[in-house]
């Protein structure tokens, strides 16, 4: 008889396990922002779907917080909605802030540390009517909103993300122009990108002035841009250009304070310098980049391996191909900034949950590897808790650990919910868990000692 000795893969004590959401995708009836307006226009959203009641969080987020608590989660990342807090320019709604106070308090009462995102794709209509992020005034408007919000919530939260995925917001709204404001314009892209970077710097300083102990960062869709053909100089060039624009301009800029081309000429911005106490990584897949002579595509097209494994979004989505090892590489790369790293989003659309348990374990295993290699990763936030309104995909893509019927609001946990609950309770990837949910990974995660 052979005796098999296995060691579970433990995470550091106090590691944060949670899920991530954004305000508009879960609250319901956010009628005063540009997305609500966009949703009312036929043809914009898959099957004409609308956010509607979303996940009913404005009325009763607490019911889902109870479920999170029962799953042993010790944190949750949620968004606050600018258009609720400041429904008209300069007029703040204290009832809205009170509701957010209730939510943060409810999380804390259940032993969950809140992480709050201040901007996640949505703008109040009054701001949008003034040109939104294309108008330089947005920087001071954002600062005013951040000051009010953080001042009102700082006794309940000290983990802040100023902006979610600025490059996705830019790409969808201006580059591909399939989200509001649908403005395909290169000069506008540069303006918006610059304003977001400046607004982040100013928000960082504003939060720290109010709450010196705050930990502030952004949630960045950090992508691994690999050349389609590693031997092709042109593919390598296209991959590096995407990486430079999509990541380095922001991450390096928020580190050394330089506003790099094409946003500036390397000019130094004091507010921006060292403006990340943490780095939030939203990771879904990697990109294989193939050169194309089209400057409007930044000389590169994303390709996927024909033999790759794909989620429900097939080959078209940004979260389509299973590429977990990319998460390891990205964590290792951003660790060079010497700041704590949080995986602020990671997930996949998988309606029948036939892939999620294994995908989840594969990705979390990469987080474990990165920690073993020396990276300071503090938490993992799965995207997402229940199915929610997936922007222009409407209710068509299901990212939830828990299935949601948006009409009846009925919830049904998918098998991966129980798996994630066990992982969080044990603070480890255990041999038993992998045996039960993803036996095909056993030999890789628990290689036999030689
Ligand atoms: O739903 C989105 C989220 O709002 C931002 N990051 C990607 C998720 C899945 O597409």
């Amino acid at each position: 008889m052979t005796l098999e000795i296995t060691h579970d893969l433990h995470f550091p004590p106090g590691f944060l396990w949670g899920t991530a959401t954004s305000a508009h995708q879960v609250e319901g009836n956010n009628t005063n922002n540009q997305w609500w307006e966009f949703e009312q226009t036929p043809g914009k959203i898959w099957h004409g779907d609308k956010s509607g009641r979303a996940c009913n969080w404005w009325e009763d987020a607490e019911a889902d917080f109870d479920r999170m608590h029962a799953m042993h989660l010790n944190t949750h990342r949620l968004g606050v909605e600018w258009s609720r807090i400041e429904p008209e320019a300069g007029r703040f709604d204290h009832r809205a802030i009170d509701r957010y106070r209730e939510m943060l308090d409810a999380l804390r009462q259940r032993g969950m540390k809140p992480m709050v995102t201040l901007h996640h794709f949505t703008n109040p209509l009054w701001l949008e009517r003034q040109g939104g992020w294309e108008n330089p005034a947005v920087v001071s408007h954002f600062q005013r909103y951040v000051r009010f919000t953080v001042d009102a919530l700082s006794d309940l939260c000290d983990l802040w993300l100023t902006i979610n995925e600025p490059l996705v917001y830019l790409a969808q709204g201006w580059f591909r122009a399939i989200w509001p404001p649908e403005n395909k314009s290169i000069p506008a892209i540069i303006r918006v990108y610059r304003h977001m970077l400046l607004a982040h710097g100013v928000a960082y300083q504003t939060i720290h002035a109010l709450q010196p102990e705050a930990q502030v960062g952004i949630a960045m869709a950090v992508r691994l841009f690999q050349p389609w053909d590693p031997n092709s100089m042109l593919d390598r060039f296209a991959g590096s250009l995407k990486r430079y624009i999509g990541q380095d301009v922001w991450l390096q800029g928020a580190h050394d304070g330089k506003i790099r081309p094409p946003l500036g000429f390397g000019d130094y911005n004091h507010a921006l310098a060292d403006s990340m106490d943490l780095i939030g990584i939203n990771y879904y897949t990697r990109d294989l980049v193939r050169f194309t002579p089209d400057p409007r595509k930044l000389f590169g097209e994303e390709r996927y391996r024909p033999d790759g494994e794909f989620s429900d979004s097939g080959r078209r989505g940004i979260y389509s191909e299973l590429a977990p090892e990319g998460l390891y590489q990205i964590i290792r790369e951003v660790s060079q900034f010497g700041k704590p790293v949080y995986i602020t989003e990671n997930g996949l659309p998988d309606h029948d949950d036939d892939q999620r348990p294994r995908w989840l374990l594969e990705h979390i295993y990469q987080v474990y590897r990165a920690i073993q290699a020396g990276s300071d990763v503090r938490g993992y936030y799965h995207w997402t808790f229940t199915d929610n309104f997936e922007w222009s995909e409407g209710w068509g893509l299901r990212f939830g650990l828990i299935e949601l019927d948006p009409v009846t609001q009925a919830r049904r946990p998918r098998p991966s919910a129980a798996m994630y609950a066990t992982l969080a309770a044990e603070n480890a990837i255990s041999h038993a868990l992998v045996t039960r949910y993803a036996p095909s990974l056993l030999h890789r995660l628990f290689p036999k000692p030689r």
Side-chain angles (χ1 to χ4, degrees):
M1 191 177 90
T2 55
L3 186 62
E4 201 178 324
I5 302 173
T6 57
H7 297 284
D8 295 340
L9 311 178
H10 287 277
F11 282 74
F15 192 81
L16 294 176
W17 296 105
T19 54
T21 52
S22 85
H24 188 73
Q25 290 176 276
V26 296
E27 286 179 357
N29 293 314
N30 266 320
T31 57
N32 194 24
N33 68 30
Q34 94 282 26
W35 261 92
W36 184 274
E37 194 174 65
F38 188 67
E39 291 164 29
Q40 313 311 313
T41 315
K44 300 296 182 193
I45 313 289
W46 184 84
H47 281 201
D49 284 354
K50 298 194 166 78
S51 55
R53 283 169 76 198
C55 310
N56 202 33
W57 274 30
W58 194 250
E59 299 300 320
D60 189 12
E62 286 77 354
D64 277 338
F65 296 168
D66 283 338
R67 295 182 182 97
M68 291 174 190
H69 177 61
M71 284 170 61
H72 314 284
L73 304 184
N74 56 3
T75 187
H76 179 67
R77 172 187 165 209
L78 75 169
V80 288
E81 172 63 32
W82 188 349
S83 67
R84 283 193 192 272
I85 294 175
E86 191 180 357
E88 291 165 29
R91 182 176 74 74
F92 292 97
D93 184 341
H94 291 268
R95 281 171 317 167
I97 273 291
D98 285 347
R99 176 68 186 121
Y100 286 122
R101 288 190 60 82
E102 268 174 21
M103 287 191 202
L104 297 184
D105 196 41
L107 284 170
R108 289 159 56 101
Q109 302 255 352
R110 290 161 178 78
M112 286 182 276
K113 185 174 178 62
M115 173 188 267
V116 169
T117 316
L118 291 155
H119 185 272
H120 193 129
F121 300 158
T122 54
N123 303 319
L125 281 173
W126 62 260
L127 181 76
E128 202 71 0
R129 305 272 190 259
Q130 298 176 8
W133 286 86
E134 291 182 35
N135 182 342
V138 69
V139 178
S140 56
H141 291 327
F142 187 62
Q143 183 183 22
R144 180 177 62 191
Y145 151 70
V146 168
R147 185 183 295 121
F148 176 83
T149 306
V150 172
D151 194 30
L153 302 179
S154 60
D155 57 325
L156 299 170
C157 175
D158 59 7
L159 216 44
W160 303 96
L161 301 171
T162 54
I163 299 180
N164 179 74
E165 297 179 348
L167 272 299
V168 173
Y169 178 67
L170 264 170
Q172 304 290 70
W174 286 264
F175 199 70
R176 299 175 70 203
I178 56 166
W179 287 6
E182 302 176 283
N183 182 15
K184 223 179 198 132
S185 146
I186 301 285
I189 291 183
I190 295 174
R191 272 202 304 280
V192 173
Y193 195 169
R194 187 180 157 86
H195 295 155
M196 291 199 123
L197 191 59
L198 295 176
H200 161 77
V202 167
Y204 176 90
Q205 304 300 340
T206 304
I207 298 171
H208 269 284
L210 293 164
Q211 191 185 24
E213 75 282 12
Q215 293 288 295
V216 185
I218 68 154
M220 186 89 180
V222 188
R223 324 254 319 209
L224 198 64
F225 294 109
Q226 294 174 323
W228 171 257
D229 172 2
N231 297 317
S232 154
M233 225 171 64
L234 288 174
D235 289 2
R236 289 205 305 271
F237 158 75
S240 318
L241 184 63
K242 290 213 177 226
R243 182 199 152 118
Y244 170 75
I245 299 282
Q247 266 150 244
D248 297 347
V249 168
W250 188 291
L251 289 177
Q252 301 283 358
H255 178 62
D256 63 16
K258 288 196 188 137
I259 309 203
R260 289 173 166 69
L263 311 186
F265 297 99
D267 28 317
Y268 180 75
N269 181 286
H270 187 263
L272 191 60
D274 199 14
S275 62
M276 291 180 304
D277 305 314
L278 62 92
I279 300 183
I281 295 178
N282 293 0
Y283 181 80
Y284 288 88
T285 188
R286 57 108 189 266
D287 297 271
L288 295 174
V289 184
R290 180 113 201 227
F291 176 79
T292 160
D294 187 349
R296 286 165 310 165
K297 294 188 171 164
L298 280 183
F299 301 104
E301 274 175 345
E302 277 81 13
R303 293 284 181 94
Y304 298 104
R305 278 187 302 143
D307 57 345
E309 184 187 350
F310 295 88
S311 68
D312 287 359
S313 73
R315 287 165 169 71
R316 70 203 160 86
I318 52 161
Y319 15 66
S320 47
E321 186 185 356
L322 172 68
E325 64 292 337
L327 180 56
Y328 171 82
Q329 290 186 39
I330 279 167
I331 297 173
R332 296 300 295 145
E333 275 178 26
V334 303
S335 295
Q336 59 164 305
F337 291 107
K339 304 289 180 183
V341 174
Y342 291 77
I343 311 307
T344 37
E345 285 182 31
N346 172 236
L348 79 161
D350 180 20
H351 191 279
D352 56 8
D353 211 51
D354 62 337
Q355 295 167 303
R356 188 177 287 104
R358 180 170 47 84
W359 277 49
L360 227 167
L361 281 171
E362 292 215 55
H363 284 85
I364 292 175
Y365 174 62
Q366 301 300 328
V367 178
Y368 172 83
R369 279 184 64 214
I371 295 172
Q372 295 300 306
S375 289
D376 180 10
V377 188
R378 303 268 174 100
Y380 173 91
Y381 294 79
H382 189 70
W383 188 272
T384 180
F385 189 65
T386 66
D387 294 333
N388 62 37
F389 179 72
E390 181 51 36
W391 307 112
S392 46
E393 306 287 347
W395 294 93
L397 293 180
R398 301 307 189 105
F399 281 84
L401 293 170
I402 297 192
E403 184 180 338
L404 173 90
D405 179 334
V407 177
T408 62
Q409 289 290 317
R411 283 148 167 83
R412 196 173 60 87
R414 297 190 165 103
S416 37
M419 192 204 77
Y420 192 49
T422 307
L423 207 152
E426 296 177 345
N427 197 28
I429 303 177
S430 70
H431 190 274
L433 196 72
V434 180
T435 307
R436 173 152 182 213
Y437 288 97
S440 63
L441 299 181
L442 272 174
H443 63 285
R444 196 144 53 79
L445 272 54
F446 298 97
K448 288 219 168 74
R450 287 183 214 179

